[in-house]
Amino acid sequence: MIDKKTASFVQALCMGQIEEEVVLPYPEMKQAEKETLEQVIASVNQLLGGRAKDFREWDARGEMPAAFIEELKSFGLFGLVIPEEHGGLGFGSAAYSRALQEIAKHDGSVALTVGAHSSIGMRGLLLFGSDAQKKRYLPRLATGELIAAFCLTEPGSGSDAASIRTTAVKQGDHWLLNGDKLWITNGGFAEFFTVFAKTPDIQKNGKAQLTAFIVTRDLPGVSVGPHEDKMGIRASSTTTVHFEDVKVPDENVLGEVGMGFKTAMRILNAGRTGLGGGCVGGMKRLIALATKQAKERKQFGKSISEFGLVKQKIGEMVVDCYATEAVVGLVAGLVDQGYQDYAVEAAISKVFGTEALWHSSDEALQIAGGNGYMREFPYERVLRDSRINRIFEGTNEILRLFIALTAMNDVAVQLKDVQQSLRAVLADPIKGFGVLSDYALRVAAIRAPQQLGERFGEKLTWKQLHPALQQTAEHFEEATRELAWVSDRVLRRHGRHIIDKQFALKRIADILIDLFDGSLKKKGEEQAARELEILRVFARRARGRIRGNLRRVDVNDDELVKRLADDAFEREAYGWDLI
Ligand SMILES: Cc1cc2nc3c(=O)[nH]c(=O)nc-3n(C[C@H](O)[C@H](O)[C@H](O)COP(=O)(O)OP(=O)(O)OC[C@H]3O[C@@H](n4cnc5c(N)ncnc54)[C@H](O)[C@@H]3O)c2cc1C
């Protein structure tokens, strides 16, 4: 029986185990939710369909009109994830992600406006709010009377979120909030802010801990700056938000005092399927645009869709879109089924989806050729819009480090046990052998499956996969076995210094990303033949990448590359002009 509190498919992979029950059967949405979702999809298309000209104009102007935001409110789009008892639609993660997908098919800025509100702006209230807080704010958040924003980033604090300088000091029945937040989505019109501040009175190991607060726009001392002039998602609102001696009532503390960092991370994890859904919507739109464009455009006496290199791009876009939709749907399914430890899987879906969308935007623009470069066509805007996804809600670099380190955590814990067991073995070999941990035996079994594999081998094979995927399954099992060796080896080699071995961590993260994506199939046992082909193409490519990454764990140019970088840092220039 799987323990939904602790089970993580990806963490188990590093231990050489395939926890099949976590990912199969592929999660299904409940019928009632599906029906409501269909209505939402229809109304999204009714509201946003045929407005391409507006979206282009708002992008050029760098703002969407207030009247349009009122329309979004009247269509109920700010209440997607708010429970029905508080006036929302009560969507779970999968339905929410699918709704955002539909919005993103039309426009990235609109998807971000809705997504920043639901995914992160008021997610903390849903996850950690008290009943009184929920009663007070959720009904107005559902109608859009209050639009929400998430305020973590500051001028001196981006990826290093724990280094924020905004402070909240307890004074009687309120907290005095002071500080400046940067690049806050929806900042221009939000009335409800989830704000993270350092609370100097709450210390751990001599360090002030963070606390999350609900801050409303009407509190004296709250102000916002002008709209930022951005590269993409230009019509969405991004501003600074300032807090000057804001008296935040004690009842507005969100979650536990001193637990703000964890609160922020939980919010970001829970919100990732929204961003993932947006990426899928973007890719589906690009496939529709690029296939039409390629069929219409004639060169060398033929439609360019007949050329192999154009087909290759479209084929890859289809595979990437399928893999992203599958992985985002699976993570959403984990959330909806009550799994609690899905942070690594959610991070994988973010990294994979945002990079797949970026690649697809670039390829779609390339297929459109010079037209792709012109503002008259949508490609350059989609490319600009999609670029931000790799930066916000955790940069993909930080998330890769997080994926590898968190996924290997169980191995690290076991290694400590193994070392202790080994000491016991050496002290008293006969008695000691009995205490050699399961982990040590499993690693031995993975290395010599013929001798010891029977006892542990059952954890290393897929049992429910479609027979047509047999070979793919074998490759997956082989890669999992190798991943377990590599995790073990890398951790033994670097010990606690692993945290600084970013080249190695990136390789392990990339292997995990490929494996997790490769473990999926969207539609249960009865696969359409085309879907099996997509899976096979993905799996073959993933296998090539995984083998490359495994090889380079031991044989690589990391030190050379670092030296080249250090040299460039010293010169602050390129140093190898030919003439
Ligand atoms: C349009 C837009 C909207 C945004 N919306 C919001 C919002 O609503 N709320 C909010 O709080 N924030 C928001 N942000 C901020 C966003 O989350 C941050 O930009 C992001 O977290 C990265 O921080 P940074 O820009 O300071 O980059 P930095 O942290 O300075 O990173 C710069 C580069 O260094 C890399 N790097 C940093 N540390 C490491 C490391 N340890 N190892 C390896 N590489 C590293 C990063 O990956 C990145 O490539 C928004 C930003 C933008 C541009």
Side-chain angles (χ1 to χ4, degrees):
M1 196 58 187
I2 286 284
D3 179 355
K4 290 188 176 172
K5 265 202 178 123
T6 54
S8 159
F9 181 81
V10 172
Q11 286 182 40
L13 288 180
C14 285
M15 297 281 285
Q17 295 174 358
I18 298 171
E19 298 285 8
E20 190 171 7
E21 309 91 289
V22 180
V23 295
L24 293 179
Y26 192 81
E28 282 276 338
M29 213 180 287
K30 291 200 182 79
Q31 192 52 34
E33 201 174 23
K34 243 188 213 165
E35 282 164 19
T36 318
L37 175 63
E38 273 161 24
Q39 287 165 14
V40 168
I41 289 175
S43 53
V44 164
N45 288 323
Q46 184 197 335
L47 173 67
L48 305 181
R51 292 185 92 152
K53 198 163 151 270
D54 287 344
F55 299 139
R56 202 169 76 215
E57 265 175 41
W58 301 344
D59 169 72
R61 203 194 305 162
E63 196 170 10
M64 61 179 78
F68 175 71
I69 294 172
E70 293 305 314
E71 285 185 74
L72 292 176
K73 292 179 188 175
S74 67
F75 273 72
L77 293 179
F78 289 101
L80 296 174
V81 295
I82 294 177
E84 286 172 272
E85 60 185 292
H86 295 293
L89 288 172
F91 275 178
S93 207
Y96 168 60
S97 166
R98 179 64 187 83
L100 267 198
Q101 180 192 132
E102 205 61 26
I103 301 174
K105 280 184 195 165
H106 296 278
D107 185 64
S109 287
V110 180
L112 181 62
T113 304
V114 173
H117 169 85
S118 298
S119 296
I120 54 175
M122 48 92 177
R123 178 72 59 171
L125 178 61
L126 284 180
L127 292 172
F128 303 101
S130 65
D131 287 346
Q133 288 172 336
K134 287 182 181 168
K135 231 172 160 173
R136 182 159 179 209
Y137 296 111
L138 283 178
R140 285 186 287 156
L141 286 160
T143 57
E145 182 191 335
L146 300 177
I147 291 180
F150 176 85
C151 300
L152 180 62
T153 305
E154 299 181 359
S157 165
S159 301
D160 183 9
S163 69
I164 57 170
R165 302 179 77 160
T166 295
T167 54
V169 178
K170 186 83 194 278
Q171 288 188 341
D173 61 354
H174 65 264
W175 297 75
L176 200 64
L177 182 69
N178 276 291
D180 301 307
K181 298 290 178 178
L182 185 68
W183 302 327
I184 302 306
T185 305
N186 288 350
F189 40 74
E191 300 277 346
F192 177 102
F193 302 96
T194 299
V195 182
F196 297 87
K198 227 162 217 170
T199 35
D201 302 336
I202 316 295
Q203 304 245 341
K204 199 172 159 192
N205 301 329
K207 282 191 183 151
Q209 301 297 293
L210 309 195
T211 299
F213 296 90
I214 294 168
V215 180
T216 47
R217 182 74 158 258
D218 54 357
L219 290 177
V222 178
S223 63
V224 302
H227 278 270
E228 299 287 351
D229 186 7
K230 307 188 291 280
M231 168 187 175
I233 45 149
R234 288 176 49 78
S236 72
S237 160
T238 313
T239 68
T240 49
V241 181
H242 310 280
F243 306 102
E244 195 182 342
D245 289 336
V246 181
K247 287 183 179 171
V248 183
D250 201 23
E251 71 220 31
N252 284 23
V253 168
L254 188 59
E256 269 179 70
V257 172
M259 297 301 284
F261 186 78
K262 273 204 173 142
T263 304
M265 296 305 122
R266 280 278 310 275
I267 293 172
L268 290 168
N269 284 335
R272 292 209 201 288
T273 52
L275 181 56
C279 291
V280 176
M283 278 187 263
K284 287 187 179 174
R285 175 174 182 218
L286 285 165
I287 291 168
L289 285 168
T291 46
K292 193 161 175 286
Q293 166 81 23
K295 277 162 73 179
E296 279 170 8
R297 177 68 176 166
K298 303 240 168 3
Q299 289 292 284
F300 303 100
K302 302 181 181 178
S303 160
I304 62 164
S305 61
E306 292 180 42
F307 296 123
L309 293 184
V310 174
K311 282 187 203 288
Q312 186 186 30
K313 294 184 199 307
I314 297 286
E316 278 175 4
M317 286 161 75
V318 169
V319 172
D320 279 354
C321 183
Y322 183 96
T324 306
E325 188 167 26
V327 78
V328 171
L330 179 72
V331 173
L334 295 177
V335 180
D336 291 343
Q337 290 168 70
Y339 282 91
Q340 290 178 25
D341 199 358
Y342 56 81
V344 183
E345 288 78 2
I348 288 179
S349 74
K350 194 271 188 180
V351 172
F352 187 84
T354 57
E355 291 178 4
L357 173 61
W358 172 247
H359 184 60
S360 293
S361 317
D362 188 41
E363 292 291 47
L365 190 149
Q366 189 70 14
I367 290 171
N371 282 337
Y373 205 69
M374 299 298 144
R375 290 212 193 273
E376 187 190 336
F377 290 82
Y379 304 96
E380 62 84 32
R381 178 153 55 88
V382 178
L383 183 96
R384 285 188 284 110
D385 285 351
S386 66
R387 186 61 185 84
I388 184 60
N389 296 321
R390 290 166 52 203
I391 298 172
F392 64 14
E393 296 196 22
T395 69
N396 286 13
E397 290 76 20
I398 295 293
L399 287 179
R400 277 194 163 85
L401 301 177
F402 170 79
I403 290 164
L405 287 170
T406 313
M408 288 194 298
N409 187 46
D410 286 352
V411 180
V413 170
Q414 294 290 338
L415 277 178
K416 259 194 224 150
D417 286 355
V418 173
Q419 276 159 9
Q420 271 157 16
S421 306
L422 275 178
R423 241 172 266 140
V425 173
L426 294 175
D428 185 345
I430 295 176
K431 237 164 79 194
F433 190 73
V435 299
L436 202 58
S437 75
D438 244 24
Y439 175 76
L441 286 176
R442 189 177 310 121
V443 170
I446 287 168
R447 287 198 175 133
Q450 287 80 8
Q451 284 79 39
L452 286 160
E454 263 176 42
R455 184 165 160 202
F456 298 99
E458 84 277 7
K459 282 272 183 196
L460 234 169
T461 47
W462 289 98
K463 288 179 217 63
Q464 301 177 49
L465 275 190
H466 193 287
L469 291 171
Q470 188 52 37
Q471 198 191 27
T472 308
E474 282 165 20
H475 292 161
F476 189 99
E477 289 153 14
E478 174 195 299
T480 304
R481 205 173 289 132
E482 292 192 39
L483 170 73
W485 290 345
V486 158
S487 306
D488 183 88
R489 208 161 65 236
V490 162
L491 283 174
R492 279 177 207 270
R493 190 181 301 159
H494 300 298
R496 64 194 163 82
H497 300 293
I498 185 67
I499 196 150
D500 298 319
K501 302 292 169 191
Q502 295 198 344
F503 286 63
L505 290 172
K506 178 174 183 294
R507 281 181 197 114
I508 291 185
D510 285 342
I511 294 168
L512 289 164
I513 291 168
D514 272 327
L515 277 176
F516 187 49
D517 274 44
S519 72
L520 304 171
K521 55 197 194 86
K522 269 196 313 195
K523 295 201 176 149
E525 280 309 307
E526 289 313 315
Q527 296 278 313
R530 269 286 123 71
E531 284 189 69
L532 286 171
E533 282 168 18
I534 295 176
L535 280 167
R536 260 190 232 120
V537 173
F538 180 86
R540 264 192 219 125
R541 287 172 184 222
R543 187 171 185 232
R545 290 190 296 262
I546 289 170
R547 287 162 86 104
N549 275 316
L550 284 166
R551 218 174 23 247
R552 283 189 290 275
V553 166
D554 295 313
V555 183
N556 55 58
D557 294 330
D558 296 357
E559 292 310 316
L560 276 176
V561 170
K562 273 192 227 162
R563 275 210 294 280
L564 290 176
D566 286 341
D567 181 76
F569 282 130
E570 206 173 310
R571 294 168 196 264
E572 293 189 8
Y574 175 73
W576 316 105
D577 291 341
L578 273 184
I579 301 170

